[in-house]
Amino acid sequence: MTNVPAGYVAVRSGLGEAPPATIIVLPVIFEGRVKAVIELASMQQFSPTHLDFLDQLTDGIGVVINTLEANMRTEELLKQSQILFAEAQEASKSKSAFLSMAAHELRTPLSVITGYLSMLEDGTLSPDKWQRPLKVLIGKATELNSIVDDLLTAARIEGGTVRTDTKTLDLRELAHLAVARAEARAGLLKAEIIYAEPDEPVPVSGDHEQLARVIDNLVNNALTYTADRPWVKLTVTNDGGPGLIVEDHGIGIPRDKQEKIFERFYRIDDPNLGPQPGTGLGLFISRELAERHGGSLIVERSEAGKGSIFVLRLPAATAPHPSGLLVNLPSAPIIA
Ligand code: ADP
């Protein structure tokens, strides 16, 4: 382009600037596709030698740009395949960990059940002495049931198919019921359970079954992980939003494990306590469910040998909206 319009572009140097006499626009083509465009402006005319040189130059640049692009694509693909490989490796590792844990956990109660059943079958025990074996059998079957339940819930959480039936619930009521459910076990363990709640309802919106499961898990852990007679305190609060505090005087959790216990299958082997039944899924499931409700579950404080405090926080229930009417809702929530 030799008739450069005024003001189109200026050639600048350290001292000054002036409109160019010629502008040359060079498409960089590789295999029929424009890869780039180079614009050069000059104060003089380009000579045929210049033009020839630039023609050859753009061919070379086209090849270089294409090679760079191909390299970048290869690098990106390599990165992606490395990520996929790591993910596949991780999945296969956790799958085998899952299978061996599940098999181990199921085998322990099953072998007790098989033992008792063959004892009943061989006739050495008269039916009037069946009371104790039957009790053990029922206990072990219940244990199997809850292991299978944990495994199914964890699988549903991972598969994203947990269904939530949300209603407005009083957190005090949920805690009451959990204490009532824990009483039989607490009696066997000669445990002390203390319960405290505010006078006013503590409305939360959530799934009754799922929240009951979270609270049961916290209470059961507090009863389990202790070397002496268990002591557990449940406090329902509405300070800073609805919450449930579960405190125990148990073996405590070392600081570096206080987050790890929320991971799938993570358990701490305590030499003073001996082997305890469990899948290491309870707290994983509980935290997932709490978070799905828009709440949280944390270890607030724990000290080895002194005990632990777990805190479950849930969002306050909002008052149900009267259908089709836009009104100013009362600030106090309505309990369904
Ligand atoms: P499980 O009880 O089936 O092992 P959880 O996920 O409920 O699985 O707990 C994981 C681990 O965290 C337990 O194995 C135990 O070591 C530790 N833990 C949980 N709750 C307490 C507690 N209240 N006191 C001390 N340790 C606890």
Side-chain angles (χ1 to χ4, degrees):
M1 204 174 159
T2 40
N3 285 326
V4 182
Y8 176 68
V9 73
V11 175
R12 287 194 190 88
S13 78
L15 294 177
E17 61 176 65
T22 321
I23 287 179
I24 186 161
V25 180
L26 297 155
V28 178
I29 295 172
F30 184 82
E31 288 178 345
R33 292 179 61 176
V34 179
K35 294 279 181 192
V37 174
I38 302 173
E39 272 190 71
L40 295 170
S42 171
M43 314 293 261
Q44 289 155 10
Q45 303 292 329
F46 286 99
S47 71
T49 323
H50 283 147
L51 294 178
D52 234 23
F53 169 74
L54 289 173
D55 245 2
Q56 283 172 33
L57 183 71
T58 51
D59 283 352
I61 293 176
V63 174
V64 171
I65 289 181
N66 192 60
T67 315
L68 279 177
E69 272 182 359
N71 281 351
M72 274 160 67
R73 262 202 310 273
T74 316
E75 219 166 285
E76 186 55 35
L77 285 175
L78 191 71
K79 237 189 260 162
Q80 272 176 17
S81 67
Q82 275 168 343
I83 292 172
L84 286 177
F85 181 68
E87 278 175 3
Q89 243 183 346
E90 192 52 42
S92 127
K93 241 197 282 173
S94 61
K95 200 167 160 191
S96 11
F98 172 81
L99 288 176
S100 63
M101 187 284 316
H104 178 79
E105 286 307 321
L106 295 174
R107 197 165 52 189
T108 319
L110 266 181
S111 62
V112 177
I113 291 179
T114 321
Y116 271 91
L117 283 178
S118 34
M119 198 173 81
L120 294 183
E121 194 198 18
D122 70 14
T124 45
L125 213 63
S126 58
D128 59 310
K129 302 229 168 69
W130 281 16
Q131 195 112 16
R132 203 187 111 69
L134 284 179
K135 222 180 194 164
V136 176
L137 280 172
I138 292 172
K140 289 294 157 187
T142 314
E143 200 183 296
L144 273 181
N145 211 5
S146 73
I147 294 172
V148 171
D149 218 41
D150 272 1
L151 293 175
L152 280 176
T153 310
R156 273 196 211 114
I157 284 176
E158 308 235 309
T161 56
V162 181
R163 242 180 279 146
T164 312
D165 176 20
T166 309
K167 294 204 169 74
T168 300
L169 309 162
D170 184 356
L171 186 54
R172 302 178 312 165
E173 180 77 15
L174 285 166
H176 268 274
L177 292 170
V179 171
R181 280 192 298 274
E183 248 148 32
R185 185 163 176 232
L188 286 176
L189 297 169
K190 303 205 173 8
E192 188 181 351
I193 299 189
I194 299 168
Y195 179 64
E197 63 175 28
D199 293 334
E200 295 293 310
V202 182
V204 293
S205 75
D207 180 298
H208 193 286
E209 201 182 310
Q210 290 176 8
L211 292 180
R213 189 187 189 109
V214 175
I215 302 172
D216 282 350
N217 183 238
L218 294 176
V219 175
N220 275 321
N221 281 349
L223 289 171
T224 304
Y225 299 106
T226 176
D228 325 304
R229 224 161 57 90
W231 178 96
V232 182
K233 184 175 180 193
L234 266 83
T235 312
V236 174
T237 156
N238 210 355
D239 284 346
L244 174 74
I245 302 158
V246 181
E247 184 178 357
D248 66 54
H249 286 174
I251 55 172
I253 303 150
R255 181 165 289 279
D256 60 326
K257 308 245 161 73
Q258 289 177 10
E259 263 307 301
K260 281 195 124 28
I261 54 171
F262 292 97
E263 289 174 12
R264 261 182 350 163
F265 306 133
Y266 192 86
R267 309 193 69 210
I268 305 166
D269 277 327
D270 189 281
N272 303 319
L273 216 55
Q276 293 294 325
T279 54
L281 283 172
L283 288 176
F284 166 74
I285 292 174
S286 300
R287 177 175 269 182
E288 281 284 330
L289 293 180
E291 287 177 357
R292 263 154 211 265
H293 277 80
S296 62
L297 175 62
I298 56 158
V299 174
E300 191 178 78
R301 206 171 63 227
S302 185
E303 209 179 313
K306 294 235 167 101
S308 314
I309 301 176
F310 282 79
V311 178
L312 168 70
R313 285 273 168 204
L314 292 167
T318 45
H321 206 293
S323 57
L325 281 175
L326 274 176
V327 293
N328 278 332
L329 292 171
S331 56
I334 295 164
I335 306 297

